[in-house]
Amino acid sequence: MSDHIRNTGAMLASPRCGAKTRASGACRSPAVHGKKRCRMHGGAHGSGAPKANQNARTHGLFSRDAIAERRQIQALLGEARKLMEEMK
């Protein structure tokens, strides 16, 4: 056998990832140096969204403009229904 004394104190005392796993528990892998997450949960170099992330930009059906336009149309339709009821 080896005469090497294993010094695991620093390894066991290192900060842990803590990301939520599929089993709804916390990830217990050691965090990457200088980061809060492990290499599997976003601590690796180059991981994560770029600065000024255009991939997260809201557009189309769920943009603020589209939602406001739909609300205006619904209000206009409601007024038209009331007017039609009054005419009867």
Side-chain angles (χ1 to χ4, degrees):
M1 293 302 242
S2 175
D3 290 333
H4 178 71
I5 299 173
R6 290 192 163 91
N7 184 7
T8 59
M11 181 177 66
L12 294 173
S14 65
R16 299 296 158 171
C17 174
K20 188 174 180 181
T21 62
R22 291 183 192 179
S24 71
C27 174
R28 301 306 300 151
S29 296
V32 173
H33 181 71
K35 306 262 184 152
K36 292 185 178 185
R37 296 290 183 226
C38 69
R39 62 190 180 90
M40 301 298 244
H41 291 113
H45 177 73
S47 66
K51 300 294 182 193
N53 184 8
Q54 288 297 308
N55 295 328
R57 183 175 60 93
T58 303
H59 65 283
L61 191 61
F62 298 103
S63 67
R64 286 190 184 119
D65 295 335
I67 292 170
E69 184 179 357
R70 286 195 302 270
R71 285 185 180 151
Q72 287 176 346
I73 291 170
Q74 288 295 324
L76 184 62
L77 287 172
E79 291 173 13
R81 283 189 197 105
K82 287 180 187 176
L83 183 61
M84 293 296 285
E85 289 295 323
E86 290 173 5
M87 291 175 64
K88 287 185 180 179

Coordinates of all heavy atoms in Angstrom, one line a residue:
M1 N 0.8 -1.2 0.0 CA 0.0 0.0 0.0 C 0.9 1.2 0.0 O 2.0 1.2 0.3 CB -0.9 0.0 1.2 CG -2.0 -1.1 1.2 SD -3.0 -1.0 -0.2 CE -4.5 -0.7 0.4
S2 N 0.2 2.3 -0.2 CA 0.9 3.6 -0.3 C 1.1 4.2 1.1 O 0.2 4.1 1.9 CB 0.1 4.5 -1.2 OG 0.7 5.8 -1.2
D3 N 2.2 5.0 1.2 CA 2.4 5.7 2.5 C 1.9 7.1 2.4 O 2.1 7.9 3.3 CB 3.9 5.7 2.8 CG 4.5 4.4 3.2 OD1 3.7 3.5 3.6 OD2 5.6 4.1 2.9
H4 N 1.2 7.4 1.3 CA 0.7 8.8 1.1 C -0.4 9.1 2.1 O -1.4 8.3 2.2 CB 0.2 9.0 -0.3 CG -0.3 10.3 -0.6 ND1 0.4 11.4 -0.7 CD2 -1.6 10.7 -0.8 CE1 -0.3 12.5 -1.0 NE2 -1.6 12.0 -1.0
I5 N -0.3 10.2 2.8 CA -1.4 10.6 3.7 C -2.4 11.5 2.9 O -1.9 12.5 2.3 CB -0.9 11.4 4.9 CG1 0.1 10.5 5.7 CG2 -2.0 11.9 5.8 CD1 0.8 11.2 6.8
R6 N -3.6 11.1 2.8 CA -4.5 11.9 2.0 C -5.0 13.1 2.8 O -5.6 13.0 3.9 CB -5.7 11.0 1.6 CG -5.3 10.0 0.6 CD -6.6 9.4 0.0 NE -6.2 8.7 -1.2 CZ -5.9 7.4 -1.3 NH1 -5.8 6.7 -0.2 NH2 -5.6 6.9 -2.5
N7 N -4.8 14.3 2.3 CA -5.3 15.5 2.9 C -6.5 16.0 2.2 O -6.5 16.6 1.2 CB -4.2 16.6 2.8 CG -4.6 17.8 3.5 OD1 -5.6 17.9 4.2 ND2 -3.8 18.9 3.4
T8 N -7.7 15.5 2.7 CA -9.0 15.8 2.1 C -9.7 17.0 2.8 O -10.8 17.3 2.4 CB -9.9 14.6 2.1 OG1 -10.1 14.2 3.5 CG2 -9.2 13.5 1.3
G9 N -9.1 17.6 3.8 CA -9.8 18.7 4.5 C -10.2 19.8 3.6 O -11.3 20.3 3.7
A10 N -9.2 20.3 2.8 CA -9.5 21.5 1.9 C -10.6 21.1 0.9 O -11.4 21.9 0.6 CB -8.2 21.9 1.2
M11 N -10.5 19.9 0.4 CA -11.5 19.5 -0.6 C -12.9 19.4 0.0 O -13.9 19.8 -0.6 CB -11.1 18.1 -1.2 CG -12.0 17.6 -2.2 SD -11.5 16.0 -2.9 CE -11.7 14.9 -1.6
L12 N -13.0 18.9 1.2 CA -14.3 18.8 1.8 C -14.8 20.1 2.3 O -16.1 20.3 2.4 CB -14.2 17.8 3.0 CG -13.9 16.3 2.7 CD1 -13.7 15.5 3.9 CD2 -15.1 15.8 1.8
A13 N -13.9 21.1 2.5 CA -14.4 22.4 3.0 C -14.7 23.3 1.9 O -15.1 24.4 2.1 CB -13.3 23.0 3.9
S14 N -14.5 22.9 0.6 CA -14.7 23.8 -0.5 C -16.2 24.1 -0.7 O -17.0 23.3 -0.3 CB -14.1 23.2 -1.8 OG -14.8 22.0 -2.1
P15 N -16.5 25.3 -1.2 CA -17.9 25.6 -1.4 C -18.6 24.7 -2.4 O -18.0 24.2 -3.3 CB -17.9 27.0 -2.0 CG -16.5 27.3 -2.5 CD -15.6 26.3 -1.7
R16 N -19.9 24.4 -2.2 CA -20.6 23.5 -3.0 C -21.5 24.2 -3.9 O -21.9 25.3 -3.7 CB -21.4 22.5 -2.1 CG -20.6 21.7 -1.2 CD -19.7 20.8 -2.0 NE -18.5 20.3 -1.2 CZ -17.7 19.4 -1.7 NH1 -17.9 18.8 -2.8 NH2 -16.7 19.1 -1.0
C17 N -21.9 23.5 -5.0 CA -22.7 24.1 -6.1 C -24.1 24.5 -5.6 O -24.5 25.7 -5.6 CB -22.8 23.1 -7.2 SG -23.9 23.6 -8.5
G18 N -24.9 23.6 -5.1 CA -26.2 24.0 -4.6 C -27.3 24.1 -5.6 O -28.4 24.5 -5.3
A19 N -27.0 23.9 -6.9 CA -28.1 24.0 -7.9 C -29.1 22.9 -7.7 O -28.8 21.8 -7.1 CB -27.4 23.8 -9.3
K20 N -30.3 23.1 -8.1 CA -31.4 22.2 -7.9 C -31.3 21.0 -8.9 O -31.1 21.3 -10.1 CB -32.8 22.9 -8.1 CG -33.9 22.0 -7.7 CD -35.2 22.8 -7.8 CE -36.4 21.9 -7.4 NZ -37.7 22.6 -7.5
T21 N -31.3 19.8 -8.4 CA -31.2 18.6 -9.3 C -32.5 18.1 -9.7 O -33.6 18.6 -9.2 CB -30.4 17.5 -8.6 OG1 -31.2 17.1 -7.5 CG2 -29.0 18.0 -8.1
R22 N -32.6 17.2 -10.6 CA -33.8 16.6 -11.1 C -34.6 15.9 -9.9 O -35.8 15.9 -10.0 CB -33.6 15.6 -12.2 CG -33.1 16.2 -13.4 CD -32.9 15.1 -14.5 NE -32.2 15.6 -15.6 CZ -31.9 14.9 -16.7 NH1 -32.2 13.6 -16.7 NH2 -31.2 15.4 -17.6
A23 N -33.9 15.4 -9.0 CA -34.5 14.8 -7.8 C -34.9 15.9 -6.8 O -35.3 15.5 -5.6 CB -33.6 13.8 -7.2
S24 N -34.9 17.1 -7.1 CA -35.2 18.3 -6.3 C -34.4 18.5 -5.1 O -34.8 19.1 -4.1 CB -36.7 18.3 -5.9 OG -37.0 17.3 -5.0
G25 N -33.2 17.9 -5.1 CA -32.2 18.1 -4.0 C -31.2 19.1 -4.5 O -31.3 19.6 -5.6
A26 N -30.2 19.4 -3.7 CA -29.2 20.3 -4.0 C -28.0 19.6 -4.6 O -27.6 18.5 -4.0 CB -28.8 21.1 -2.8
C27 N -27.3 20.1 -5.6 CA -26.1 19.5 -6.1 C -25.0 19.7 -5.1 O -24.8 20.8 -4.6 CB -25.8 20.2 -7.4 SG -24.2 19.7 -8.1
R28 N -24.3 18.6 -4.8 CA -23.2 18.7 -3.8 C -21.8 18.7 -4.4 O -20.8 18.5 -3.7 CB -23.4 17.5 -2.9 CG -24.7 17.5 -2.1 CD -25.1 18.7 -1.4 NE -24.1 19.1 -0.4 CZ -23.8 20.3 0.0 NH1 -24.5 21.3 -0.5 NH2 -22.9 20.5 0.9
S29 N -21.7 18.9 -5.7 CA -20.4 18.9 -6.4 C -19.7 20.2 -6.0 O -20.3 21.2 -5.7 CB -20.5 18.9 -7.9 OG -21.1 17.7 -8.3
P30 N -18.4 20.2 -5.9 CA -17.6 21.4 -5.6 C -17.8 22.5 -6.7 O -17.8 22.2 -7.8 CB -16.2 20.9 -5.5 CG -16.1 19.7 -6.2 CD -17.5 19.0 -6.1
A31 N -17.9 23.7 -6.2 CA -18.1 24.8 -7.2 C -16.7 25.1 -7.9 O -15.7 24.8 -7.3 CB -18.5 26.1 -6.4
V32 N -16.8 25.6 -9.1 CA -15.6 26.0 -9.8 C -15.0 27.2 -9.1 O -15.7 28.0 -8.5 CB -16.0 26.4 -11.3 CG1 -14.8 26.9 -12.0 CG2 -16.5 25.2 -12.0
H33 N -13.6 27.2 -9.1 CA -12.9 28.3 -8.4 C -13.4 29.7 -8.9 O -13.3 29.9 -10.1 CB -11.4 28.1 -8.6 CG -10.6 29.2 -7.9 ND1 -10.5 29.2 -6.5 CD2 -9.9 30.3 -8.3 CE1 -9.7 30.2 -6.2 NE2 -9.4 30.9 -7.3
G34 N -13.8 30.5 -8.0 CA -14.3 31.9 -8.3 C -15.7 31.9 -8.8 O -16.2 33.0 -9.2
K35 N -16.4 30.8 -8.8 CA -17.8 30.8 -9.2 C -18.7 30.2 -8.1 O -18.2 29.7 -7.2 CB -18.0 30.0 -10.5 CG -17.1 30.4 -11.7 CD -17.8 31.2 -12.6 CE -16.9 31.5 -13.8 NZ -17.6 31.8 -15.0
K36 N -20.0 30.3 -8.3 CA -20.9 29.7 -7.3 C -21.5 28.4 -7.7 O -22.1 27.7 -6.9 CB -22.1 30.7 -7.1 CG -21.7 32.0 -6.4 CD -22.9 32.8 -6.1 CE -22.5 34.1 -5.4 NZ -23.6 34.9 -5.0
R37 N -21.3 27.9 -9.0 CA -21.8 26.7 -9.5 C -20.7 25.7 -9.9 O -19.6 26.2 -10.2 CB -22.8 26.9 -10.7 CG -24.0 27.7 -10.3 CD -24.9 26.9 -9.4 NE -26.1 27.6 -9.1 CZ -26.6 27.7 -7.8 NH1 -26.0 27.1 -6.8 NH2 -27.7 28.4 -7.6
C38 N -21.0 24.5 -10.0 CA -20.1 23.5 -10.5 C -19.9 23.5 -12.0 O -20.7 24.2 -12.7 CB -20.5 22.1 -10.0 SG -21.9 21.4 -10.8
R39 N -19.0 22.7 -12.5 CA -18.8 22.7 -14.0 C -20.0 22.2 -14.8 O -20.2 22.5 -15.9 CB -17.6 21.9 -14.3 CG -17.7 20.4 -14.0 CD -16.4 19.7 -14.1 NE -16.6 18.3 -13.7 CZ -16.9 17.3 -14.6 NH1 -17.1 17.6 -15.9 NH2 -17.1 16.1 -14.2
M40 N -20.9 21.4 -14.1 CA -22.0 20.9 -14.8 C -23.2 21.9 -14.8 O -24.1 21.8 -15.6 CB -22.5 19.6 -14.2 CG -21.4 18.5 -14.2 SD -21.0 18.1 -15.9 CE -21.5 16.5 -15.9
H41 N -23.2 22.8 -13.8 CA -24.4 23.7 -13.7 C -24.0 25.2 -14.0 O -24.7 26.1 -13.5 CB -24.9 23.6 -12.3 CG -25.6 22.3 -12.0 ND1 -25.1 21.4 -11.1 CD2 -26.7 21.7 -12.6 CE1 -25.9 20.3 -11.1 NE2 -26.9 20.5 -12.0
G42 N -23.1 25.4 -14.8 CA -22.8 26.8 -15.3 C -21.6 27.4 -14.7 O -21.4 28.6 -14.9
G43 N -20.7 26.7 -14.1 CA -19.5 27.4 -13.6 C -18.3 27.3 -14.5 O -17.3 27.9 -14.4
A44 N -18.5 26.5 -15.6 CA -17.4 26.4 -16.6 C -17.1 27.6 -17.4 O -18.0 28.5 -17.6 CB -17.7 25.2 -17.6
H45 N -15.9 27.8 -17.8 CA -15.5 28.9 -18.6 C -16.3 29.0 -19.9 O -16.4 28.0 -20.6 CB -14.0 28.9 -18.9 CG -13.5 30.0 -19.8 ND1 -13.4 31.3 -19.3 CD2 -13.2 30.1 -21.1 CE1 -13.0 32.1 -20.2 NE2 -12.9 31.4 -21.3
G46 N -16.9 30.2 -20.2 CA -17.6 30.3 -21.4 C -19.1 29.9 -21.3 O -19.8 30.1 -22.3
S47 N -19.5 29.4 -20.2 CA -20.9 29.0 -20.0 C -21.7 30.2 -19.6 O -21.2 31.2 -19.1 CB -21.0 27.9 -19.0 OG -20.7 28.4 -17.7
G48 N -23.0 30.1 -19.9 CA -23.9 31.2 -19.5 C -24.2 32.1 -20.7 O -23.6 32.0 -21.8
A49 N -25.2 33.0 -20.5 CA -25.6 33.9 -21.6 C -24.5 35.0 -21.8 O -23.9 35.4 -20.9 CB -26.9 34.5 -21.3
P50 N -24.4 35.4 -23.1 CA -23.4 36.5 -23.3 C -24.0 37.9 -22.7 O -25.2 38.0 -22.5 CB -23.3 36.6 -24.8 CG -24.6 36.0 -25.3 CD -25.0 34.9 -24.3
K51 N -23.1 38.8 -22.6 CA -23.6 40.2 -22.2 C -24.5 40.7 -23.2 O -24.3 40.5 -24.4 CB -22.4 41.1 -22.0 CG -21.4 40.6 -20.9 CD -22.0 40.6 -19.5 CE -20.9 40.1 -18.5 NZ -21.5 39.8 -17.3
A52 N -25.5 41.5 -22.8 CA -26.5 42.0 -23.7 C -27.1 40.9 -24.5 O -27.2 41.0 -25.7 CB -26.0 43.1 -24.5
N53 N -27.6 39.9 -23.9 CA -28.1 38.7 -24.5 C -29.3 39.0 -25.4 O -30.4 39.3 -24.9 CB -28.5 37.7 -23.4 CG -29.0 36.3 -24.0 OD1 -28.9 36.1 -25.2 ND2 -29.4 35.5 -23.2
Q54 N -29.2 38.9 -26.7 CA -30.3 39.1 -27.6 C -31.1 37.8 -27.8 O -32.2 37.9 -28.3 CB -29.7 39.5 -29.0 CG -29.1 40.9 -29.0 CD -30.2 41.9 -28.8 OE1 -31.3 41.9 -29.4 NE2 -30.0 42.8 -27.8
N55 N -30.7 36.7 -27.3 CA -31.5 35.5 -27.3 C -32.6 35.5 -26.4 O -33.6 34.8 -26.5 CB -30.6 34.3 -27.0 CG -29.5 34.0 -28.1 OD1 -29.8 34.4 -29.2 ND2 -28.4 33.5 -27.6
A56 N -32.5 36.4 -25.3 CA -33.6 36.5 -24.3 C -34.6 37.6 -24.6 O -35.5 37.9 -23.9 CB -33.0 36.7 -22.9
R57 N -34.4 38.3 -25.8 CA -35.2 39.4 -26.1 C -36.6 38.9 -26.4 O -36.9 38.0 -27.1 CB -34.7 40.1 -27.4 CG -35.4 41.3 -27.8 CD -34.7 42.0 -28.9 NE -34.6 41.1 -30.1 CZ -35.5 41.1 -31.1 NH1 -36.5 41.9 -31.1 NH2 -35.3 40.3 -32.1
T58 N -37.6 39.6 -25.8 CA -39.0 39.3 -26.0 C -39.5 39.9 -27.3 O -39.3 41.1 -27.5 CB -39.9 39.8 -24.9 OG1 -39.4 39.2 -23.7 CG2 -41.3 39.4 -25.0
H59 N -40.1 39.1 -28.2 CA -40.6 39.6 -29.4 C -41.8 38.9 -29.9 O -42.2 37.8 -29.3 CB -39.5 39.5 -30.5 CG -39.1 38.1 -30.8 ND1 -38.3 37.3 -30.0 CD2 -39.5 37.3 -31.9 CE1 -38.2 36.1 -30.5 NE2 -38.9 36.1 -31.7
G60 N -42.5 39.4 -30.9 CA -43.6 38.6 -31.4 C -44.9 38.8 -30.5 O -45.2 39.8 -30.0
L61 N -45.5 37.6 -30.3 CA -46.8 37.6 -29.6 C -46.8 38.1 -28.2 O -47.7 38.6 -27.7 CB -47.3 36.2 -29.6 CG -48.8 35.9 -29.2 CD1 -49.7 36.7 -30.1 CD2 -49.1 34.4 -29.2
F62 N -45.6 38.0 -27.5 CA -45.6 38.3 -26.1 C -44.8 39.6 -25.8 O -44.4 39.9 -24.7 CB -44.9 37.2 -25.3 CG -45.8 35.9 -25.4 CD1 -45.4 34.9 -26.2 CD2 -47.0 35.9 -24.7 CE1 -46.2 33.7 -26.3 CE2 -47.8 34.7 -24.7 CZ -47.4 33.7 -25.5
S63 N -44.5 40.4 -26.8 CA -43.9 41.7 -26.6 C -44.8 42.7 -26.0 O -46.1 42.5 -26.0 CB -43.3 42.3 -27.9 OG -44.4 42.6 -28.7
R64 N -44.3 43.7 -25.3 CA -45.2 44.7 -24.7 C -46.1 45.4 -25.7 O -47.3 45.6 -25.3 CB -44.3 45.8 -24.0 CG -43.7 45.3 -22.7 CD -43.0 46.4 -22.0 NE -42.3 45.9 -20.8 CZ -41.0 46.1 -20.6 NH1 -40.3 46.7 -21.5 NH2 -40.5 45.6 -19.5
D65 N -45.6 45.7 -26.8 CA -46.4 46.3 -27.9 C -47.6 45.4 -28.3 O -48.7 45.9 -28.4 CB -45.6 46.7 -29.1 CG -44.5 47.7 -28.7 OD1 -44.7 48.5 -27.8 OD2 -43.5 47.8 -29.4
A66 N -47.3 44.2 -28.5 CA -48.4 43.2 -28.9 C -49.4 43.0 -27.9 O -50.6 43.0 -28.1 CB -47.8 41.9 -29.3
I67 N -49.0 42.9 -26.6 CA -49.9 42.8 -25.5 C -50.8 44.0 -25.4 O -52.0 43.9 -25.2 CB -49.2 42.5 -24.2 CG1 -48.5 41.1 -24.3 CG2 -50.1 42.5 -23.0 CD1 -47.6 40.8 -23.2
A68 N -50.2 45.2 -25.5 CA -51.0 46.5 -25.4 C -52.0 46.6 -26.5 O -53.1 47.0 -26.3 CB -50.0 47.6 -25.4
E69 N -51.6 46.2 -27.7 CA -52.5 46.2 -28.9 C -53.7 45.3 -28.7 O -54.8 45.7 -28.9 CB -51.7 45.9 -30.1 CG -52.5 46.0 -31.4 CD -51.7 45.6 -32.6 OE1 -50.5 45.3 -32.5 OE2 -52.3 45.6 -33.7
R70 N -53.4 44.1 -28.2 CA -54.5 43.2 -27.9 C -55.5 43.7 -26.9 O -56.7 43.6 -27.0 CB -54.0 41.8 -27.5 CG -53.4 41.0 -28.6 CD -53.2 39.6 -28.3 NE -52.4 39.3 -27.1 CZ -51.1 39.2 -27.1 NH1 -50.4 39.2 -28.3 NH2 -50.4 38.9 -26.0
R71 N -55.0 44.4 -25.8 CA -55.8 45.0 -24.8 C -56.7 46.1 -25.4 O -57.9 46.2 -25.0 CB -55.0 45.5 -23.7 CG -54.5 44.4 -22.8 CD -53.7 44.9 -21.6 NE -53.2 43.8 -20.8 CZ -52.2 43.8 -20.0 NH1 -51.4 44.9 -19.9 NH2 -51.8 42.8 -19.3
Q72 N -56.1 46.9 -26.3 CA -56.9 48.0 -26.9 C -58.0 47.4 -27.8 O -59.1 47.9 -27.8 CB -56.0 48.9 -27.7 CG -55.1 49.8 -26.9 CD -54.1 50.6 -27.8 OE1 -53.9 50.3 -28.9 NE2 -53.5 51.6 -27.2
I73 N -57.7 46.3 -28.5 CA -58.7 45.7 -29.4 C -59.8 45.1 -28.5 O -61.0 45.3 -28.9 CB -58.0 44.6 -30.2 CG1 -57.1 45.3 -31.3 CG2 -59.1 43.7 -30.9 CD1 -56.2 44.3 -32.0
Q74 N -59.5 44.5 -27.4 CA -60.5 43.9 -26.5 C -61.4 45.0 -26.0 O -62.6 44.9 -25.9 CB -59.8 43.1 -25.4 CG -59.2 41.8 -25.8 CD -60.3 40.8 -26.3 OE1 -61.4 40.8 -25.8 NE2 -60.0 40.1 -27.3
A75 N -60.8 46.2 -25.6 CA -61.6 47.3 -25.0 C -62.5 47.8 -26.1 O -63.7 48.1 -25.9 CB -60.7 48.4 -24.5
L76 N -62.0 47.9 -27.3 CA -62.8 48.4 -28.5 C -64.0 47.5 -28.8 O -65.1 47.9 -29.0 CB -61.9 48.6 -29.7 CG -62.6 49.2 -30.9 CD1 -63.1 50.6 -30.6 CD2 -61.6 49.3 -32.1
L77 N -63.7 46.2 -28.8 CA -64.7 45.2 -29.0 C -65.8 45.2 -27.9 O -67.0 45.1 -28.1 CB -64.1 43.8 -29.1 CG -63.4 43.5 -30.4 CD1 -62.7 42.1 -30.3 CD2 -64.3 43.5 -31.6
G78 N -65.4 45.4 -26.7 CA -66.3 45.5 -25.5 C -67.2 46.7 -25.7 O -68.4 46.6 -25.5
E79 N -66.7 47.9 -26.1 CA -67.5 49.1 -26.4 C -68.4 48.8 -27.5 O -69.6 49.3 -27.4 CB -66.6 50.3 -26.7 CG -65.8 50.7 -25.5 CD -64.8 51.8 -25.8 OE1 -64.9 52.4 -26.9 OE2 -63.9 52.1 -25.0
A80 N -68.0 48.1 -28.5 CA -68.9 47.8 -29.7 C -70.0 46.9 -29.3 O -71.2 47.1 -29.7 CB -68.1 47.2 -30.8
R81 N -69.8 45.9 -28.4 CA -70.8 45.1 -27.9 C -71.9 45.8 -27.1 O -73.1 45.6 -27.3 CB -70.2 43.9 -27.1 CG -69.6 42.9 -27.8 CD -69.2 41.7 -26.9 NE -68.2 40.8 -27.6 CZ -66.9 40.8 -27.3 NH1 -66.4 41.5 -26.4 NH2 -66.1 40.0 -28.0
K82 N -71.4 46.7 -26.3 CA -72.3 47.6 -25.5 C -73.2 48.4 -26.4 O -74.4 48.6 -26.2 CB -71.5 48.5 -24.5 CG -70.9 47.7 -23.3 CD -70.2 48.7 -22.4 CE -69.5 47.9 -21.3 NZ -68.7 48.8 -20.5
L83 N -72.6 49.0 -27.4 CA -73.3 49.8 -28.3 C -74.4 49.0 -29.1 O -75.5 49.5 -29.3 CB -72.3 50.5 -29.3 CG -72.9 51.5 -30.3 CD1 -73.6 52.6 -29.6 CD2 -71.9 51.9 -31.3
M84 N -74.0 47.8 -29.5 CA -75.0 46.9 -30.2 C -76.1 46.5 -29.3 O -77.3 46.5 -29.7 CB -74.3 45.7 -30.7 CG -73.2 45.9 -31.8 SD -74.0 46.5 -33.3 CE -74.7 45.0 -33.9
E85 N -75.8 46.3 -28.0 CA -76.9 46.0 -27.0 C -77.9 47.1 -26.8 O -79.1 47.0 -26.7 CB -76.3 45.5 -25.7 CG -75.6 44.2 -25.7 CD -76.6 43.0 -26.0 OE1 -77.8 43.1 -25.5 OE2 -76.2 42.1 -26.8
E86 N -77.3 48.3 -26.8 CA -78.1 49.5 -26.6 C -79.0 49.8 -27.9 O -80.1 50.3 -27.7 CB -77.3 50.8 -26.4 CG -76.6 50.8 -25.0 CD -75.6 51.9 -24.9 OE1 -75.5 52.8 -25.8 OE2 -74.9 51.9 -23.9
M87 N -78.6 49.4 -29.0 CA -79.3 49.6 -30.3 C -80.5 48.7 -30.4 O -81.5 48.9 -31.1 CB -78.4 49.5 -31.5 CG -77.4 50.6 -31.6 SD -76.2 50.4 -32.9 CE -77.3 50.5 -34.3
K88 N -80.5 47.5 -29.7 CA -81.5 46.5 -29.8 C -82.8 47.0 -29.2 O -83.0 47.7 -28.4 CB -81.1 45.2 -29.2 CG -80.1 44.5 -30.1 CD -79.9 43.1 -29.5 CE -78.9 42.3 -30.4 NZ -78.6 41.0 -29.8

